[in-house]
Amino acid sequence: MLKTILVDDEELSIKRLNKILAECGEIQICNTFSNSLEAYEYIKENKIDVAFLDISMPDMDGMTFSGMLRDMDSDIDVVFITGYDEYAVKAFELNALDYLLKPVTSERLQKTLDKIKKKRRYVQKNPGLKVSFFNGFKICTAGDEGREIKLRSPKTEELFAFIVYKGTTNREEIVDTLWEGFDFDKALKNINSNIYYIRKALSVYGLEDCIKTGKKEIGIEKGRVACDLFEFERLIKESKKNSIKDAGINEKAIELYSGGFLNGKGYEWALEKARNLEKDYMELLEEAARYYAESEQPQKALAKLFKILETDSLREDVHYQIILLYMGLGKKNEARQQYLMLEKLLKEELGIRPKAKIRRLFQ
């Protein structure tokens, strides 16, 4: 059974919710409080699963209290209780699992309980989200099922992509990047609305806690988000640290780069990052080709060199290395075909001939 506490300064509201929860038979009500500070002290000493919090309380409002709970134990699910529907967006912005309008009905409460159970089942099965930046942008549930998650609009998707990319950001940076030229207050409303839509889409799979929001900062729970970009950059750093090059590290990073960073999305803020990542990818391919050539694995070296040409077909130095490898393998016809291809490309694209050292190979 789920262990819960109720925090509300209205005695009648506490009694009503207590009665409905007791009747459902799925909740163990550990304690009830009319004071947030007393509830906070209780949770310090006692493990709970769910906290039902009234938003409007005199000593400390429920939204402030929920932030303290999240800092103490991020596994606690928060359900707000309110008499005003206007708090809905704010509730989701502050990582609440759900919100209930007073007077609470058993039918509506059952939906909340179903959401809690569904989330906890998914959390057990899935470590969180799987986010892919290479060759576009895709969000899926992690684990065996891997269900794709679609967001409400292209702008909602761009906001989520930016938050995941940054790891942690703030509202001012988001406004400057995604809503430049907008009235600041209007831009903030757009941010809050889109955060609500993101959390709503994630809540279907019990993953809304993968995104964290505070008064100023917005970020992701990195421990619950698997991301190809993060792993690629980790492997790049690991590769650069090792004085003895590990081909396995390079191969893993190369495999992750399935296409350009946010390819096809047209996000201006992503352009410089895309160029830098492509440069890193090309360096990995060159390094891998050099390693395989030196360790007498010419076919693997050729495969990496051809991958470079898929991105930059005019690289004379790469064509030259391919030609030398073919000649070393005794494949003179393939070497000449490679030269003729280079000659044609340079003439059509730049109106020039291959460098003298390459031409001399066939004179």
Side-chain angles (χ1 to χ4, degrees):
M1 295 179 75
L2 295 170
K3 295 181 178 181
T4 188
I5 61 166
L6 316 180
V7 187
D8 194 330
D9 63 329
E10 295 180 16
E11 186 178 352
L12 186 60
S13 177
I14 283 277
K15 286 181 177 179
R16 180 182 179 84
L17 186 57
N18 200 337
K19 181 176 181 295
I20 297 173
L21 284 169
E23 288 173 350
C24 78
E26 301 174 64
I27 292 282
Q28 178 187 344
I29 302 167
C30 298
N31 218 324
T32 63
F33 301 92
S34 59
N35 181 294
S36 299
L37 294 175
E38 290 178 5
Y40 185 72
E41 291 301 319
Y42 176 85
I43 295 170
K44 282 183 179 179
E45 304 296 330
N46 300 274
K47 174 71 176 174
I48 66 164
D49 301 305
V50 188
F52 289 86
L53 310 179
D54 183 24
I55 288 180
S56 302
M57 288 187 291
D59 58 326
M60 182 194 301
D61 66 82
M63 290 187 174
T64 302
F65 184 39
S66 74
M68 294 172 65
L69 291 186
R70 301 293 299 184
D71 291 339
M72 184 191 299
D73 185 350
S74 61
D75 290 333
I76 296 174
D77 289 318
V78 172
V79 178
F80 283 132
I81 309 165
T82 177
Y84 305 97
D85 196 31
E86 66 191 68
Y87 286 117
V89 171
K90 190 69 175 175
F92 277 101
E93 182 191 341
L94 290 173
N95 301 330
L97 178 75
D98 204 355
Y99 72 100
L100 298 169
L101 285 176
K102 295 180 180 180
V104 179
T105 65
S106 57
E107 291 81 5
R108 178 64 183 84
L109 182 59
Q110 188 58 55
K111 291 181 180 179
T112 299
L113 296 178
D114 290 343
K115 186 180 286 189
I116 292 170
K117 289 185 291 183
K118 186 173 185 178
K119 174 198 167 180
R120 289 179 177 268
R121 282 198 300 270
Y122 268 92
V123 168
Q124 288 174 358
K125 291 180 181 178
N126 301 304
L129 286 176
K130 183 179 179 182
V131 179
S132 303
F133 280 96
F134 293 120
N135 201 30
F137 184 67
K138 191 174 181 180
I139 314 162
C140 297
T141 59
D144 297 334
E145 293 183 5
R147 296 185 183 180
E148 186 172 359
I149 299 173
K150 294 290 187 181
L151 297 180
R152 184 175 185 267
S153 70
K155 202 64 180 179
T156 309
E157 183 179 89
E158 183 179 7
L159 173 60
F160 188 61
F162 185 73
I163 292 169
V164 177
Y165 161 62
K166 296 294 290 187
T168 300
T169 182
N170 58 65
R171 285 170 170 77
E172 288 77 12
E173 184 177 24
I174 294 172
V175 170
D176 291 342
T177 306
L178 273 65
W179 279 278
E180 186 181 6
F182 273 61
D183 173 79
F184 189 73
D185 289 338
K186 185 177 180 182
L188 287 180
K189 288 181 181 178
N190 284 335
I191 292 171
N192 291 339
S193 296
N194 281 286
I195 290 291
Y196 167 78
Y197 295 130
I198 292 168
R199 288 183 56 76
K200 189 175 181 181
L202 298 182
S203 70
V204 173
Y205 304 97
L207 298 171
E208 64 276 14
D209 61 344
C210 290
I211 187 167
K212 306 180 297 182
T213 56
K215 289 183 178 179
K216 291 185 178 180
E217 291 190 335
I218 300 173
I220 57 164
E221 194 71 55
K222 281 201 170 182
R224 300 205 65 207
V225 178
C227 176
D228 56 357
L229 172 64
F230 299 161
E231 180 63 8
F232 181 81
E233 292 185 320
R234 185 190 70 78
L235 291 168
I236 290 286
K237 286 180 182 178
E238 191 174 339
S239 176
K240 288 178 178 178
K241 277 193 302 184
N242 289 344
S243 55
I244 300 174
K245 295 302 178 184
D246 184 343
I249 294 174
N250 282 17
E251 286 288 5
K252 287 177 184 176
I254 289 167
E255 188 178 349
L256 281 171
Y257 193 96
S258 56
F261 175 68
L262 289 170
N263 189 35
K265 291 299 179 182
Y267 303 153
E268 287 189 20
W269 53 266
L271 295 178
E272 184 179 355
K273 184 68 173 179
R275 286 192 291 270
N276 291 335
L277 289 169
E278 184 179 282
K279 182 184 174 187
D280 287 337
Y281 172 63
M282 298 290 268
E283 288 176 358
L284 283 171
L285 290 172
E286 289 177 45
E287 196 172 272
R290 187 162 49 250
Y291 171 84
Y292 288 128
E294 290 172 356
S295 58
E296 298 183 358
Q297 300 180 71
Q299 294 298 341
K300 287 187 176 182
L302 284 168
K304 295 298 180 282
L305 292 170
F306 279 119
K307 275 189 172 292
I308 295 173
L309 293 183
E310 287 175 11
T311 301
D312 188 354
S313 62
L314 296 176
R315 285 278 300 270
E316 277 191 80
D317 59 326
V318 175
H319 284 279
Y320 181 59
Q321 290 175 61
I322 291 172
I323 290 167
L324 291 178
L325 283 168
Y326 274 144
M327 293 178 79
L329 289 167
K331 296 184 176 183
K332 294 182 179 180
N333 186 53
E334 285 84 347
R336 177 168 289 279
Q337 289 300 318
Q338 192 69 33
Y339 171 78
L340 293 174
M341 181 191 300
L342 171 63
E343 189 178 52
K344 182 180 178 183
L345 278 169
L346 292 177
K347 183 179 179 180
E348 291 178 350
E349 298 292 331
L350 304 175
I352 62 174
R353 296 179 69 193
K355 290 177 181 176
K357 71 173 183 178
I358 304 178
R359 295 200 308 271
R360 281 197 294 270
L361 292 173
F362 300 94
Q363 289 173 350

